Amino acid sequence: MGYKVPFVDPRTHYRNYQSEIDAAIFDCLSKGDLIYRQQLRNFEERLAAFVGVKYAVGLSSGYHALLFALMGASIGPGDEVITVAHTFVATVSAIIHCGAKPVLVDVASDFNIDPDLIEEAVTERTRALMVVHLNGRICDMARVTEIASKHNLVVIEDAAQSLGATFDGRRAGSFGAAGCFSFYPFKLLGGFGDGGALTTNDAGIARMASLLRFNGEDRDTGEYHHHGQTALLDNVQAAVLDAKLRHLPAWIEHRRTIAQRYRKRLACVGDLMLPHFSEEKQFDSFQNYVIRTRSRDALRAHLRDNGVETLVHWPKPMWEHRGLGLTNPGLPETESICREVISLPMSAETTFEQVDYTTEQVREFFSTLGPDRR
Ligand SMILES: Cc1ncc(COP(=O)(O)O)c(C=O)c1O
């Protein structure tokens, strides 16, 4: 179905930056630079500078960044890692795949880990705290780092959705032992397929990630140091991401303007809760614009029938996917979020007209509801 307002618009995105993207791809292909060449190093250097760390290691996905961060911090069997269930499944899968046990705690109303609940989840086996900066909003890193240092925990940041977001002026991915980013096409900085990166100030973790992505091989000596994986960021992807990175600050500004417009037009509509949380310390990069309502499914159907594409991140709690083998940790906020959230169109290409049409449709929906739901 063609939507009047698509959730994201990759074709327009490509057309808008076609000359730069084509030039980056042509540069790689015409020189035969496909694997681990200068374009990748350039991107890693610029990404590290953007995040504000010493090292960035290009990987084939955000999942690999999470896995290699854990492995680089020597987390493994017998260890517990505290994280959230309100996240993409890869966060938890990485913990399981390194042999550790995920300990799931609830989130607060800003969708990020509730710092008040972290300490009660700490046991003598807890080794790490994997915080997820969801939707372009960074966690309260003052509280997180304070709790982590009190209990001697390694902090790993799942920043897959928060490149460019800041806390106290520092960017996501620069606080913990490692930051993990995804360049999945619809992320703040998206490639043309899967991609990711690990950022760190720790030379040991950077080296470990560099080895693991080459099946454990040190490319300079040819020595295999570990059983690793095939997980390198492709050179062509890196070249495109490098070209796009310079536009990221402007794209984030655009997303913030779109968010303000949604806010203005959706304030006091029905039972809607809007994602405008305190920005005293945080600067949000709005990967997603997520609203909450008890009438989520009906609102979503109304928007779909009127040509507005939306997404739900995520419709059921992770532990209800029985194949994942997780026990129900009893997280009430996570459960109600799953019932109530809906993500509205948000991208660098989203126009004011699209926001206005979407918000008109939302308002129309609520005007037809009974008074108890308005
Ligand atoms: C919060 C979060 N964590 C981890 C990931 C995993 O990233 P990737 O899809 O690149 O493996 C994603 C991306 O979808 C994500 O949104």
Side-chain angles (χ1 to χ4, degrees):
M1 168 175 177
Y3 285 95
K4 185 178 164 91
V5 184
F7 188 73
V8 290
D9 190 350
R11 282 178 302 180
T12 300
H13 180 80
Y14 172 60
R15 280 189 217 115
N16 287 348
Y17 300 95
Q18 185 170 0
S19 58
E20 290 170 62
I21 290 167
D22 287 357
I25 295 173
F26 178 78
D27 179 54
C28 295
L29 299 188
S30 60
K31 292 178 184 156
D33 285 348
L34 301 180
I35 300 288
Y36 195 43
R37 295 296 177 94
Q38 194 57 43
Q39 295 88 343
L40 173 60
R41 291 187 201 106
N42 290 347
F43 173 60
E44 289 175 334
E45 213 168 276
R46 274 192 270 268
L47 180 68
F50 180 83
V51 170
V53 293
K54 285 192 196 146
Y55 311 100
V57 182
L59 302 169
S60 53
S61 72
Y63 160 77
H64 284 95
L66 295 163
L67 179 66
F68 295 171
L70 289 160
M71 292 170 76
S74 305
I75 311 290
D79 297 333
E80 291 180 1
V81 179
I82 294 173
T83 192
V84 291
H86 184 56
T87 179
F88 182 55
V89 67
T91 316
V92 173
S93 302
I95 297 169
I96 287 172
H97 287 159
C98 81
K101 180 182 165 200
V103 175
L104 305 175
V105 305
D106 216 349
V107 290
S109 59
D110 70 351
F111 306 114
N112 284 339
I113 195 162
D114 186 341
D116 290 337
L117 302 178
I118 296 173
E119 289 202 83
E120 63 197 50
V122 174
T123 71
E124 68 215 8
R125 289 171 175 263
T126 311
R127 289 276 324 281
L129 187 47
M130 185 176 269
V131 292
V132 181
H133 307 314
L134 209 65
N135 299 324
R137 180 175 179 82
I138 191 167
C139 297
D140 181 341
M141 292 312 288
R143 295 280 311 279
V144 166
T145 44
E146 181 198 316
I147 295 166
S149 57
K150 179 171 162 197
H151 296 279
N152 203 17
L153 307 178
V154 175
V155 175
I156 295 170
E157 300 172 68
D158 179 340
Q161 297 196 5
S162 287
L163 184 60
T166 68
F167 181 88
D168 251 349
R170 275 173 69 181
R171 286 206 164 116
S174 68
F175 289 85
C180 306
F181 292 95
S182 167
F183 306 125
Y184 181 74
F186 309 123
K187 293 290 195 256
L188 288 146
L189 180 67
F192 293 123
D194 284 316
L198 178 152
T199 55
T200 184
N201 283 313
D202 183 323
I205 291 179
R207 174 163 165 79
M208 185 69 155
S210 302
L211 298 175
L212 289 172
R213 68 181 176 173
F214 275 120
N215 301 90
E217 184 188 3
D218 182 332
R219 297 292 280 188
D220 293 331
T221 64
E223 184 69 19
Y224 288 87
H225 293 272
H226 303 276
H227 287 287
Q229 303 197 3
T230 308
L232 178 72
L233 179 64
D234 290 330
N235 212 63
V236 173
Q237 292 280 15
V240 171
L241 291 165
D242 196 27
K244 288 185 173 192
L245 182 60
R246 60 187 78 112
H247 296 287
L248 184 63
W251 293 339
I252 290 172
E253 274 316 313
H254 180 72
R255 286 171 181 270
R256 288 173 59 80
T257 309
I258 292 292
Q260 285 309 330
R261 199 166 180 102
Y262 273 131
R263 174 187 206 162
K264 211 166 131 212
R265 283 159 194 263
L266 293 178
C268 306
V269 172
D271 66 344
L272 281 184
M273 287 167 67
L274 306 178
H276 292 270
F277 313 111
S278 158
E279 286 210 330
E280 203 183 309
K281 295 201 166 164
Q282 278 104 331
F283 172 91
D284 298 346
S285 55
F286 284 99
Q287 164 71 62
N288 298 307
Y289 192 83
V290 183
I291 59 175
R292 283 175 82 164
T293 168
R294 284 173 292 147
S295 309
R296 190 268 309 280
D297 293 339
L299 172 61
R300 189 163 194 224
H302 175 86
L303 291 174
R304 183 199 58 221
D305 293 347
N306 288 281
V308 179
E309 187 180 18
T310 61
L311 289 185
V312 171
H313 304 97
W314 294 267
K316 70 178 181 181
M318 201 183 289
W319 58 86
E320 284 184 15
H321 295 268
R322 301 182 69 187
L324 298 179
L326 303 167
T327 44
N328 183 345
L331 309 177
E333 187 69 7
T334 298
E335 286 194 19
S336 55
I337 282 172
C338 289
R339 284 192 301 271
E340 295 176 358
V341 287
I342 174 169
S343 304
L344 300 182
M346 170 63 88
S347 71
E349 288 66 49
T350 304
T351 64
F352 291 166
E353 293 70 32
Q354 290 175 331
V355 171
D356 295 352
Y357 178 76
T358 300
T359 54
E360 257 166 49
Q361 288 304 324
V362 173
R363 296 173 79 96
E364 187 184 298
F365 169 79
F366 279 101
S367 70
T368 63
L369 283 189
D372 60 322
R373 287 274 157 143
R374 267 187 230 151

Short mmCIF file of all heavy atoms in Angstrom, two decimals, residues 60-66 86-92 132-135 158-162 180-184 187 193-197 287-288 313-314, ligand 1:
data_model
loop_
_atom_site.label_atom_id
_atom_site.label_comp_id
_atom_site.label_asym_id
_atom_site.label_seq_id
_atom_site.Cartn_x
_atom_site.Cartn_y
_atom_site.Cartn_z
N SER A 60 29.53 -5.18 11.12
CA SER A 60 28.45 -5.44 10.17
C SER A 60 27.06 -5.19 10.74
O SER A 60 26.09 -5.23 10.00
CB SER A 60 28.56 -6.86 9.62
OG SER A 60 28.63 -7.77 10.68
N SER A 61 26.95 -4.93 12.05
CA SER A 61 25.64 -4.59 12.62
C SER A 61 25.81 -4.04 14.02
O SER A 61 26.86 -4.17 14.65
CB SER A 61 24.74 -5.84 12.69
OG SER A 61 25.19 -6.71 13.71
N GLY A 62 24.72 -3.47 14.51
CA GLY A 62 24.69 -3.02 15.90
C GLY A 62 24.76 -4.21 16.85
O GLY A 62 25.36 -4.12 17.93
N TYR A 63 24.14 -5.30 16.44
CA TYR A 63 24.20 -6.52 17.26
C TYR A 63 25.65 -6.93 17.51
O TYR A 63 26.03 -7.27 18.63
CB TYR A 63 23.43 -7.66 16.57
CG TYR A 63 23.84 -9.01 17.07
CD1 TYR A 63 23.38 -9.47 18.30
CD2 TYR A 63 24.73 -9.81 16.35
CE1 TYR A 63 23.79 -10.69 18.80
CE2 TYR A 63 25.14 -11.03 16.84
CZ TYR A 63 24.68 -11.47 18.07
OH TYR A 63 25.10 -12.67 18.55
N HIS A 64 26.46 -6.90 16.46
CA HIS A 64 27.87 -7.29 16.64
C HIS A 64 28.60 -6.32 17.57
O HIS A 64 29.48 -6.73 18.32
CB HIS A 64 28.58 -7.38 15.28
CG HIS A 64 28.20 -8.63 14.54
ND1 HIS A 64 27.20 -8.64 13.61
CD2 HIS A 64 28.66 -9.89 14.63
CE1 HIS A 64 27.06 -9.88 13.15
NE2 HIS A 64 27.93 -10.65 13.74
N ALA A 65 28.24 -5.05 17.51
CA ALA A 65 28.87 -4.09 18.43
C ALA A 65 28.55 -4.47 19.88
O ALA A 65 29.42 -4.45 20.75
CB ALA A 65 28.39 -2.68 18.11
N LEU A 66 27.29 -4.83 20.13
CA LEU A 66 26.89 -5.23 21.49
C LEU A 66 27.63 -6.48 21.93
O LEU A 66 28.18 -6.57 23.04
CB LEU A 66 25.37 -5.48 21.53
CG LEU A 66 24.48 -4.26 21.28
CD1 LEU A 66 23.06 -4.68 20.94
CD2 LEU A 66 24.48 -3.36 22.51
N HIS A 86 12.41 -3.50 27.30
CA HIS A 86 11.81 -2.63 26.29
C HIS A 86 12.92 -2.13 25.37
O HIS A 86 13.44 -1.02 25.49
CB HIS A 86 11.09 -1.45 26.95
CG HIS A 86 10.39 -0.59 25.95
ND1 HIS A 86 9.45 -1.09 25.08
CD2 HIS A 86 10.50 0.73 25.66
CE1 HIS A 86 9.02 -0.10 24.30
NE2 HIS A 86 9.64 1.00 24.62
N THR A 87 13.32 -3.01 24.46
CA THR A 87 14.41 -2.74 23.52
C THR A 87 14.27 -3.71 22.36
O THR A 87 13.46 -4.64 22.41
CB THR A 87 15.78 -2.91 24.20
OG1 THR A 87 16.82 -2.67 23.23
CG2 THR A 87 15.98 -4.31 24.77
N PHE A 88 15.06 -3.48 21.32
CA PHE A 88 15.11 -4.46 20.24
C PHE A 88 15.78 -5.72 20.80
O PHE A 88 16.70 -5.63 21.61
CB PHE A 88 15.89 -3.88 19.06
CG PHE A 88 15.96 -4.80 17.88
CD1 PHE A 88 14.80 -5.31 17.30
CD2 PHE A 88 17.18 -5.18 17.34
CE1 PHE A 88 14.86 -6.16 16.21
CE2 PHE A 88 17.25 -6.02 16.25
CZ PHE A 88 16.09 -6.52 15.68
N VAL A 89 15.32 -6.85 20.33
CA VAL A 89 15.75 -8.13 20.89
C VAL A 89 17.27 -8.33 20.86
O VAL A 89 17.85 -9.04 21.69
CB VAL A 89 15.01 -9.29 20.17
CG1 VAL A 89 15.45 -9.40 18.72
CG2 VAL A 89 15.19 -10.61 20.90
N ALA A 90 17.95 -7.66 19.91
CA ALA A 90 19.40 -7.84 19.77
C ALA A 90 20.16 -7.51 21.06
O ALA A 90 21.21 -8.10 21.34
CB ALA A 90 19.93 -6.99 18.63
N THR A 91 19.65 -6.56 21.84
CA THR A 91 20.31 -6.19 23.09
C THR A 91 20.44 -7.43 23.99
O THR A 91 21.51 -7.71 24.55
CB THR A 91 19.47 -5.12 23.85
OG1 THR A 91 19.02 -4.13 22.94
CG2 THR A 91 20.26 -4.49 24.98
N VAL A 92 19.34 -8.13 24.12
CA VAL A 92 19.29 -9.29 25.01
C VAL A 92 19.99 -10.49 24.36
O VAL A 92 20.72 -11.24 25.03
CB VAL A 92 17.82 -9.59 25.39
CG1 VAL A 92 17.70 -10.89 26.17
CG2 VAL A 92 17.25 -8.42 26.20
N VAL A 132 20.16 1.13 27.45
CA VAL A 132 19.70 1.36 26.08
C VAL A 132 19.18 2.80 26.01
O VAL A 132 18.27 3.17 26.75
CB VAL A 132 18.57 0.38 25.71
CG1 VAL A 132 18.12 0.61 24.27
CG2 VAL A 132 19.03 -1.06 25.91
N HIS A 133 19.74 3.57 25.12
CA HIS A 133 19.27 4.95 24.91
C HIS A 133 18.22 4.89 23.80
O HIS A 133 18.56 4.95 22.61
CB HIS A 133 20.42 5.86 24.46
CG HIS A 133 21.64 5.82 25.35
ND1 HIS A 133 21.59 5.89 26.70
CD2 HIS A 133 22.96 5.74 25.02
CE1 HIS A 133 22.82 5.88 27.20
NE2 HIS A 133 23.67 5.78 26.20
N LEU A 134 16.97 4.76 24.21
CA LEU A 134 15.94 4.47 23.21
C LEU A 134 15.38 5.72 22.54
O LEU A 134 15.25 6.78 23.18
CB LEU A 134 14.81 3.68 23.88
CG LEU A 134 14.05 2.74 22.95
CD1 LEU A 134 14.92 1.62 22.42
CD2 LEU A 134 12.83 2.17 23.65
N ASN A 135 15.01 5.58 21.30
CA ASN A 135 14.27 6.61 20.55
C ASN A 135 15.03 7.92 20.36
O ASN A 135 14.44 8.95 20.03
CB ASN A 135 12.93 6.94 21.25
CG ASN A 135 12.02 5.73 21.34
OD1 ASN A 135 12.00 4.91 20.44
ND2 ASN A 135 11.31 5.61 22.45
N ASP A 158 23.95 0.73 24.70
CA ASP A 158 23.30 0.41 23.44
C ASP A 158 22.76 1.74 22.91
O ASP A 158 21.70 2.21 23.32
CB ASP A 158 22.17 -0.60 23.66
CG ASP A 158 21.46 -0.94 22.35
OD1 ASP A 158 21.56 -0.15 21.40
OD2 ASP A 158 20.78 -1.99 22.30
N ALA A 159 23.55 2.34 22.03
CA ALA A 159 23.21 3.66 21.49
C ALA A 159 22.73 3.53 20.04
O ALA A 159 22.78 4.48 19.27
CB ALA A 159 24.43 4.57 21.58
N ALA A 160 22.22 2.33 19.70
CA ALA A 160 21.78 2.07 18.32
C ALA A 160 20.78 3.11 17.84
O ALA A 160 20.72 3.42 16.65
CB ALA A 160 21.17 0.67 18.24
N GLN A 161 19.99 3.66 18.77
CA GLN A 161 18.96 4.63 18.37
C GLN A 161 19.31 6.06 18.77
O GLN A 161 18.44 6.93 18.73
CB GLN A 161 17.62 4.24 19.03
CG GLN A 161 17.10 2.89 18.57
CD GLN A 161 15.63 2.69 18.91
OE1 GLN A 161 14.96 3.59 19.40
NE2 GLN A 161 15.13 1.51 18.63
N SER A 162 20.55 6.31 19.17
CA SER A 162 20.79 7.63 19.76
C SER A 162 22.08 8.32 19.35
O SER A 162 22.62 9.12 20.12
CB SER A 162 20.73 7.50 21.28
OG SER A 162 19.40 7.33 21.67
N CYS A 180 27.53 1.31 21.37
CA CYS A 180 27.20 0.42 20.26
C CYS A 180 26.18 1.08 19.36
O CYS A 180 25.10 1.47 19.82
CB CYS A 180 26.63 -0.88 20.82
SG CYS A 180 27.73 -1.63 22.04
N PHE A 181 26.51 1.19 18.09
CA PHE A 181 25.65 1.90 17.14
C PHE A 181 25.21 0.99 16.00
O PHE A 181 25.93 0.06 15.62
CB PHE A 181 26.41 3.10 16.54
CG PHE A 181 26.68 4.17 17.56
CD1 PHE A 181 27.88 4.22 18.22
CD2 PHE A 181 25.70 5.11 17.87
CE1 PHE A 181 28.12 5.20 19.19
CE2 PHE A 181 25.93 6.09 18.83
CZ PHE A 181 27.14 6.13 19.49
N SER A 182 24.05 1.31 15.46
CA SER A 182 23.52 0.58 14.31
C SER A 182 23.36 1.56 13.15
O SER A 182 22.91 2.69 13.35
CB SER A 182 22.15 -0.01 14.66
OG SER A 182 21.49 -0.46 13.49
N PHE A 183 23.69 1.09 11.96
CA PHE A 183 23.47 1.90 10.76
C PHE A 183 22.44 1.24 9.84
O PHE A 183 22.48 1.38 8.62
CB PHE A 183 24.80 2.13 10.00
CG PHE A 183 25.87 2.71 10.88
CD1 PHE A 183 27.10 2.09 11.01
CD2 PHE A 183 25.63 3.88 11.60
CE1 PHE A 183 28.08 2.61 11.84
CE2 PHE A 183 26.60 4.41 12.44
CZ PHE A 183 27.83 3.77 12.56
N TYR A 184 21.55 0.49 10.45
CA TYR A 184 20.39 -0.05 9.73
C TYR A 184 19.76 1.12 8.96
O TYR A 184 19.78 2.26 9.45
CB TYR A 184 19.43 -0.64 10.79
CG TYR A 184 18.20 -1.25 10.22
CD1 TYR A 184 18.25 -2.48 9.57
CD2 TYR A 184 16.96 -0.61 10.32
CE1 TYR A 184 17.10 -3.05 9.04
CE2 TYR A 184 15.80 -1.18 9.79
CZ TYR A 184 15.89 -2.39 9.15
OH TYR A 184 14.76 -2.94 8.62
N LYS A 187 17.96 4.15 10.66
CA LYS A 187 18.49 4.79 11.87
C LYS A 187 18.85 6.25 11.57
O LYS A 187 18.84 6.68 10.41
CB LYS A 187 19.74 4.03 12.34
CG LYS A 187 19.41 2.62 12.83
CD LYS A 187 18.66 2.67 14.14
CE LYS A 187 18.63 1.34 14.85
NZ LYS A 187 17.35 0.62 14.76
N GLY A 193 21.95 -1.08 4.06
CA GLY A 193 21.82 -2.45 4.52
C GLY A 193 22.28 -2.44 5.96
O GLY A 193 22.37 -1.38 6.58
N ASP A 194 22.60 -3.62 6.48
CA ASP A 194 23.04 -3.66 7.88
C ASP A 194 24.44 -3.09 8.04
O ASP A 194 25.28 -3.19 7.15
CB ASP A 194 23.01 -5.10 8.40
CG ASP A 194 21.59 -5.55 8.70
OD1 ASP A 194 20.85 -4.76 9.31
OD2 ASP A 194 21.23 -6.68 8.31
N GLY A 195 24.66 -2.50 9.21
CA GLY A 195 25.99 -1.96 9.54
C GLY A 195 25.97 -1.51 10.98
O GLY A 195 24.89 -1.28 11.55
N GLY A 196 27.13 -1.37 11.56
CA GLY A 196 27.19 -0.91 12.95
C GLY A 196 28.60 -0.48 13.31
O GLY A 196 29.52 -0.55 12.48
N ALA A 197 28.76 -0.01 14.54
CA ALA A 197 30.10 0.37 15.01
C ALA A 197 30.14 0.33 16.52
O ALA A 197 29.12 0.53 17.20
CB ALA A 197 30.46 1.79 14.53
N GLN A 287 15.23 9.72 17.24
CA GLN A 287 15.19 8.60 16.29
C GLN A 287 13.72 8.26 15.97
O GLN A 287 13.35 8.03 14.83
CB GLN A 287 15.89 7.38 16.90
CG GLN A 287 15.63 6.05 16.23
CD GLN A 287 16.28 5.94 14.88
OE1 GLN A 287 17.49 5.99 14.77
NE2 GLN A 287 15.49 5.78 13.84
N ASN A 288 12.92 8.22 17.02
CA ASN A 288 11.49 7.93 16.85
C ASN A 288 10.68 8.97 17.62
O ASN A 288 11.15 9.52 18.62
CB ASN A 288 11.15 6.55 17.42
CG ASN A 288 11.88 5.45 16.69
OD1 ASN A 288 11.83 5.35 15.47
ND2 ASN A 288 12.59 4.61 17.42
N HIS A 313 6.74 -0.09 18.34
CA HIS A 313 7.96 -0.67 18.91
C HIS A 313 7.70 -0.92 20.39
O HIS A 313 7.77 0.03 21.16
CB HIS A 313 9.14 0.30 18.83
CG HIS A 313 9.48 0.80 17.47
ND1 HIS A 313 9.05 2.02 16.98
CD2 HIS A 313 10.22 0.25 16.49
CE1 HIS A 313 9.53 2.20 15.77
NE2 HIS A 313 10.23 1.16 15.44
N TRP A 314 7.33 -2.02 20.86
CA TRP A 314 7.09 -3.30 20.30
C TRP A 314 5.77 -3.78 20.87
O TRP A 314 5.46 -3.51 22.03
CB TRP A 314 8.24 -4.23 20.66
CG TRP A 314 9.54 -3.78 19.99
CD1 TRP A 314 10.01 -4.23 18.77
CD2 TRP A 314 10.52 -2.84 20.45
NE1 TRP A 314 11.22 -3.60 18.47
CE2 TRP A 314 11.54 -2.75 19.48
CE3 TRP A 314 10.62 -2.02 21.57
CZ2 TRP A 314 12.65 -1.90 19.61
CZ3 TRP A 314 11.70 -1.18 21.69
CH2 TRP A 314 12.70 -1.14 20.72
C1 LIG B 1 17.90 -0.45 20.61
C2 LIG B 1 18.58 -1.30 19.56
N1 LIG B 1 19.56 -2.13 19.92
C3 LIG B 1 20.21 -2.88 19.03
C4 LIG B 1 19.90 -2.84 17.69
C5 LIG B 1 20.61 -3.77 16.77
O1 LIG B 1 21.16 -3.14 15.67
P1 LIG B 1 21.30 -3.94 14.29
O2 LIG B 1 19.92 -4.10 13.72
O3 LIG B 1 22.18 -3.09 13.46
O4 LIG B 1 21.92 -5.26 14.61
C6 LIG B 1 18.88 -1.99 17.25
C7 LIG B 1 18.53 -1.86 15.83
O5 LIG B 1 17.56 -2.23 15.33
C8 LIG B 1 18.19 -1.21 18.22
O6 LIG B 1 17.19 -0.39 17.85
#
